[in-house]
Amino acid sequence: MQSAHTLKLTGESAALKRDELKQYYNQTWALYESLFEVIQQDSAYFLKAEPLRHPLIFYFGHTATFYINKLKLGKYPIERVNDHFESMFAIGVDEMSWDDLDETHYQWPTVDEVRSYRNQVNQLVNQFIDTMPLTLPITQDSPAWIILMGIEHERIHLETSSAIIRQLPLEFVAQHPSWPECTDVGSAEPNQLIAVTGQKITLGKKETDQTYGWDNEYGNKTFKVADFKAAKFLVSNQEYLAFVEAGGYQQAEFWNEEGQAWLSYTKASMPRFWRLHGNKWWQRNLTSEIPLPLNWPVEVNQLEAKAFCNWKAKQSQSNIRLLTEAEWYILRGKISSDAPDWQEAPGNIALAYYASSCPVNRFAQQGFYDIVGNVWQWTETAIDGFNGFAVHPLYDDFSTPTFDGKHNLIKGGSWISTGNEAIAASRYAFRRHFYQHAGFRYVESLQNPEQMAEVNVYETDELISQYLEFHYGAQYFGVPNFCVNGVQQALSEIQLEHTAKALDIGCSVGRASFELAKVFDHVDGIDFSARFIQQAYALTEQGEKRYTISTEGDLQEFKSASLAKLGYSEEAKKVNFMQGDACNLKPLYSGYDLVYASNLIDRLNDPKQFLTTIGQRINRGGYLVIASPYTWLEDYTPKDNWLGGIKVKGENFTTLDGLTETLIGQFELVAVKEIPFVIRETKRKFQHSLSEMTIWRKR
């Protein structure tokens, strides 16, 4: 299928590459819309077929708004099409727990309105591709990279949307000539284990690689993999049916703690896409329901896959588990070429054959089957960044929210995995209770998966390390820790009637949140930067964060922040860190007795919007604390939005004047203080600043 393979970043001619990019973009756009043509009634777009995700109308609009929002964020010359849509369709809800149902009632537009919007966006993006500057190779700072980002993003949602369509009632869908399913069904061959030689393997994509990559693919990490045995086939429906019929879903011993909790909540007794009519098993595919194809791969979540492995281990009295990412890559080495160079797909992948799974013994690769394709393969490996991980500035939350130990990698791709998803370097992860077109392969190994990696345990990102030192490191020149001193100075000026909830907005890497938790029963720490939140969350989970700070030149000092040593072990249990936008917080962030906004106000695009809305989230008699050095910069805040530091009618107008003018209707000013702080850059270079703290009581 010509549209299935991601394009290369190199070429002999920029003009030819522009044509190739435009073709890839339009093929992707048409393919995505073609998927939605299997839906027969507009009402189906608004059904919540998957409780943990938005209805399909969101995903229909989402991939179009992505192009506009990313190009605007990159300050490229493109006009907004519909501000409302580009806000409504901006962020999904794909990472919830199974008991965290989103019951929000959205006022969704009609399907025709979204289709019209998509047409307008399509025209704009085509015009942008025609006129944007383009040099080769395409690099991460090129506008063409943003177009590729949008294309690969839409191909991800080609897959996620198809998984949701599989959960619509059958009367809402119909078979489509562009989406044919396999008709080859029958019994499965018995599975068997084949010996594989272990090796030392280094993973990670290089900056010079010729295909687009997501941030988590770059960097490097080395693993020492012991000899293991791997299943010849993916686990088939037939092999998994034995587990179901043996009462596997009713026996807690096979399920880990997370799996038991999921079972208790969902009452699951079979895989999501199975059906039991009378005493006969059936399977739901994209647009049909067929008798359970025993020789197709089973599709389960990671919790079910692990439970099967535990059952299999007991049955065989051997060490059976899911494979790891590194073990999958050793198997992947049996396929010499990568997706962009495939003349013929070596598996049921990239829509090269079917719009469904097919028998597990169809595609052989040196003794194994389906190393790539058919269904994704769940792994034991929780996703994390490789050494040298760095986010792309226009999509800083693609990967980092998943670096929480709760998202496991899926490898190999499925029948609908196209573009970046089909290349060897791709790394995608989901919560362990989520469903995709994913199954699994098991291995037999004595090696503990957690002991394979040669781990770089120190955070080396310069900006992150600087802030970790600012929050948790040493004091310099006798200036007390800014986070601790700021909270203490604020609390010394106010009379709290209640201490139930506090919000630390713009929390960075989290020190003030922990300090607030000494007084408040619950603290929400929110920051726009996913990278900062990742550090704070890691501290709560692991209790310690190691990092390096520069001394001079290439020399570094190794440091460690420990919650126990700082006296926050109990406080950490009361803090919830989340990524969020101060100017667009979710409704659940309300009812606070104190909102603490430190070194935030002069980094907002629209500080006045924040100030006029934050009062709604504070209880009457509660407090708003604002601390800032007022370093207004047009890089962060358009000059028209500055609160102060400007001339008004020829007179000086300070930020305190602007704060007072904006807040005085809702708040009374309690106190104004100066709070000093020092940020270390190197051993001999420091920033010394003063932050003005204003404390406001809600009337």
Side-chain angles (χ1 to χ4, degrees):
M1 188 174 194
Q2 189 179 9
S3 64
H5 299 322
T6 190
L7 59 79
K8 292 187 176 181
L9 306 175
T10 54
E12 297 179 0
S13 161
L16 290 175
K17 185 59 62 175
R18 190 188 303 274
D19 291 342
E20 188 182 354
L21 178 63
K22 188 170 183 179
Q23 183 183 39
Y24 187 42
Y25 162 77
N26 284 299
Q27 287 171 335
T28 302
W29 189 276
L31 183 62
Y32 192 69
E33 294 200 335
S34 167
L35 174 67
F36 284 82
E37 289 174 8
V38 306
I39 301 173
Q40 298 301 293
Q41 300 179 37
D42 283 1
S43 58
Y45 282 81
F46 305 94
L47 295 178
K48 204 157 187 181
E50 165 54 72
L52 304 184
R53 287 177 168 155
H54 279 317
L56 283 160
I57 190 67
F58 169 85
Y59 298 97
F60 193 46
H62 174 58
T63 59
T65 64
F66 185 92
Y67 285 101
I68 302 297
N69 287 334
K70 294 306 179 189
L71 288 169
K72 292 296 289 184
L73 187 61
K75 296 181 170 49
Y76 291 106
I78 194 164
E79 295 301 317
R80 288 205 174 275
V81 177
N82 184 315
D83 285 349
H84 180 56
F85 283 11
E86 283 142 20
S87 175
M88 171 185 286
F89 293 132
I91 300 175
V93 287
D94 282 355
E95 297 302 336
M96 294 192 296
S97 177
W98 60 81
D99 55 355
D100 184 22
L101 302 185
D102 182 359
E103 299 296 346
T104 305
H105 295 285
Y106 294 86
Q107 295 298 314
W108 299 112
T110 66
V111 176
D112 284 343
E113 287 171 334
V114 178
R115 188 173 286 116
S116 174
Y117 170 79
R118 285 183 59 86
N119 290 338
Q120 293 176 71
V121 171
N122 189 22
Q123 184 177 357
L124 271 178
V125 177
N126 269 292
Q127 291 171 354
F128 181 81
I129 296 172
D130 287 338
T131 57
M132 68 184 183
L134 179 61
T135 57
L136 297 179
I138 297 170
T139 59
Q140 293 201 23
D141 58 358
S142 165
W145 189 272
I146 308 307
I147 298 301
L148 279 169
M149 181 183 288
I151 293 169
E152 300 299 351
H153 170 263
E154 188 154 44
R155 287 181 178 270
I156 292 172
H157 283 294
L158 181 70
E159 183 141 359
T160 56
S161 296
S162 66
I164 297 173
I165 290 173
R166 284 186 76 176
Q167 297 174 70
L168 286 174
L170 273 174
E171 61 264 27
F172 289 109
V173 296
Q175 295 189 12
H176 189 287
S178 297
W179 298 91
E181 68 181 40
C182 179
T183 57
D184 184 355
V185 299
S187 297
E189 288 186 46
N191 215 341
Q192 59 182 339
L193 290 163
I194 300 174
V196 180
T197 302
Q199 65 185 76
K200 184 175 181 179
I201 183 171
T202 299
L203 307 183
K205 192 177 176 84
K206 295 181 175 62
E207 294 290 339
T208 54
D209 279 4
Q210 293 189 25
T211 53
Y212 174 90
W214 297 107
D215 54 11
N216 67 60
E217 297 169 15
Y218 292 96
N220 62 84
K221 196 169 188 176
T222 300
F223 298 83
K224 291 181 178 178
V225 181
D227 294 350
F228 63 100
K229 295 178 180 179
K232 179 178 182 179
F233 304 112
L234 298 175
V235 172
S236 66
N237 280 324
Q238 181 172 310
E239 191 172 8
Y240 195 85
L241 181 60
F243 169 65
V244 174
E245 293 184 333
Y249 280 76
Q250 291 74 44
Q251 298 178 63
E253 64 177 300
F254 302 128
W255 301 79
N256 60 20
E257 184 177 353
E258 184 181 355
Q260 290 179 35
W262 174 79
L263 268 184
S264 176
Y265 185 85
T266 62
K267 311 300 181 188
S269 60
M270 68 183 81
R272 172 72 60 87
F273 300 118
W274 284 19
R275 305 286 185 268
L276 185 59
H277 299 317
N279 61 352
K280 292 187 177 180
W281 295 100
W282 294 68
Q283 175 169 297
R284 170 61 189 269
N285 295 329
L286 183 66
T287 59
S288 70
E289 207 171 86
I290 64 173
L292 186 67
L294 296 175
N295 56 347
W296 290 16
V298 70
E299 293 168 272
V300 292
N301 64 28
Q302 202 263 3
L303 303 174
E304 293 169 301
K306 278 190 71 69
F308 173 91
C309 288
N310 293 336
W311 173 77
K312 185 80 174 177
K314 184 176 181 181
Q315 297 294 111
S316 62
Q317 293 297 296
S318 57
N319 294 285
I320 299 293
R321 57 166 170 78
L322 297 175
L323 50 59
T324 64
E325 180 183 26
E327 288 166 341
W328 179 83
Y329 271 108
I330 291 175
L331 296 182
R332 180 62 179 78
K334 297 180 181 298
I335 302 174
S336 59
S337 59
D338 206 358
D341 298 317
W342 288 340
Q343 296 302 309
E344 183 177 333
N348 184 20
I349 193 169
L351 290 169
Y353 301 98
Y354 309 109
S356 73
S357 298
C358 71
V360 296
N361 63 351
R362 175 69 60 83
F363 293 97
Q365 296 108 15
Q366 295 191 38
F368 290 92
Y369 288 77
D370 294 331
I371 291 174
V372 299
N374 231 354
V375 293
W376 289 94
Q377 299 171 48
W378 281 107
T379 71
E380 292 279 357
T381 309
I383 190 172
D384 203 348
F386 292 145
N387 302 330
F389 168 80
V391 300
H392 192 283
L394 299 187
Y395 204 172
D396 79 338
D397 59 347
F398 177 80
S399 299
T400 48
T402 67
F403 295 168
D404 58 3
K406 298 179 181 179
H407 295 73
N408 278 48
L409 282 156
I410 52 176
K411 304 299 294 184
S414 75
W415 52 269
I416 197 174
S417 297
T418 62
N420 170 272
E421 291 181 307
I423 67 173
S426 71
R427 303 180 80 228
Y428 294 88
F430 284 90
R431 290 282 291 266
R432 290 183 278 270
H433 58 275
F434 257 63
Y435 283 89
Q436 285 298 114
H437 308 294
F440 63 104
R441 182 190 307 276
Y442 53 83
V443 301
E444 180 183 331
S445 173
L446 294 172
Q447 189 175 24
N448 184 335
E450 297 179 0
Q451 296 175 348
M452 290 184 185
E454 295 182 352
V455 182
N456 174 12
V457 296
Y458 286 89
E459 174 60 53
T460 57
D461 182 284
E462 185 175 350
L463 180 66
I464 296 297
S465 294
Q466 189 178 94
Y467 273 83
L468 285 168
E469 178 68 7
F470 178 45
H471 279 231
Y472 302 102
Q475 295 183 13
Y476 298 101
F477 309 111
V479 177
N481 181 283
F482 176 70
C483 301
V484 175
N485 187 39
V487 170
Q488 292 177 352
Q489 291 282 347
L491 293 177
S492 70
E493 295 291 337
I494 62 182
Q495 302 294 322
L496 286 168
E497 298 176 13
H498 304 285
T499 57
K501 284 179 67 179
L503 171 63
D504 182 9
I505 184 71
C507 67
S508 183
V509 294
R511 180 71 182 269
S513 301
F514 294 125
E515 193 67 20
L516 287 166
K518 289 182 175 180
V519 175
F520 292 87
D521 298 332
H522 176 83
V523 177
D524 288 318
I526 296 178
D527 198 279
F528 187 78
S529 168
R531 289 193 293 164
F532 285 164
I533 287 296
Q534 179 193 354
Q535 311 308 312
Y537 187 88
L539 263 170
T540 61
E541 290 293 295
Q542 301 160 17
E544 182 184 24
K545 188 69 186 179
R546 299 179 181 182
Y547 59 97
T548 62
I549 55 174
S550 177
T551 55
E552 59 181 273
D554 292 334
L555 304 181
Q556 294 180 319
E557 181 180 355
F558 294 84
K559 306 270 288 192
S560 174
S562 165
L563 292 187
K565 290 180 180 178
L566 294 168
Y568 293 133
S569 295
E570 291 303 311
E571 283 73 16
K573 301 173 185 176
K574 300 193 290 182
V575 180
N576 177 49
F577 288 110
M578 289 290 290
Q579 185 193 20
D581 182 354
C583 295
N584 189 26
L585 292 173
K586 294 180 179 179
L588 65 94
Y589 297 115
S590 59
Y592 294 106
D593 302 308
L594 182 140
V595 171
Y596 189 78
S598 176
N599 290 1
L600 169 76
I601 200 74
D602 57 358
R603 291 297 179 264
L604 297 178
N605 180 268
D606 191 350
K608 198 162 191 175
Q609 179 188 351
F610 167 73
L611 293 173
T612 54
T613 58
I614 195 64
Q616 303 165 14
R617 302 174 186 278
I618 301 174
N619 297 328
R620 179 171 293 183
Y623 291 86
L624 171 63
V625 178
I626 297 172
S628 172
Y630 306 147
T631 50
W632 297 103
L633 295 170
E634 290 188 84
D635 287 347
Y636 299 101
T637 313
K639 197 161 188 178
D640 288 346
N641 292 348
W642 289 9
L643 288 178
I646 53 176
K647 292 278 189 179
V648 175
K649 296 180 180 177
E651 301 295 330
N652 292 343
F653 191 82
T654 69
T655 304
L656 181 56
D657 293 332
L659 287 169
T660 303
E661 183 181 275
T662 307
L663 292 173
I664 202 65
Q666 290 188 78
F667 295 85
E668 59 178 324
L669 182 60
V670 174
V672 181
K673 310 184 102 174
E674 297 284 355
I675 312 294
F677 63 91
V678 171
I679 295 179
R680 169 179 165 157
E681 292 185 20
T682 68
K683 187 176 182 179
R684 294 176 180 84
K685 184 181 178 184
F686 300 80
Q687 297 177 29
H688 182 252
S689 308
L690 287 176
S691 190
E692 184 175 86
M693 176 179 284
T694 56
I695 303 170
W696 307 81
R697 184 177 185 274
K698 187 174 178 183
R699 301 180 189 276

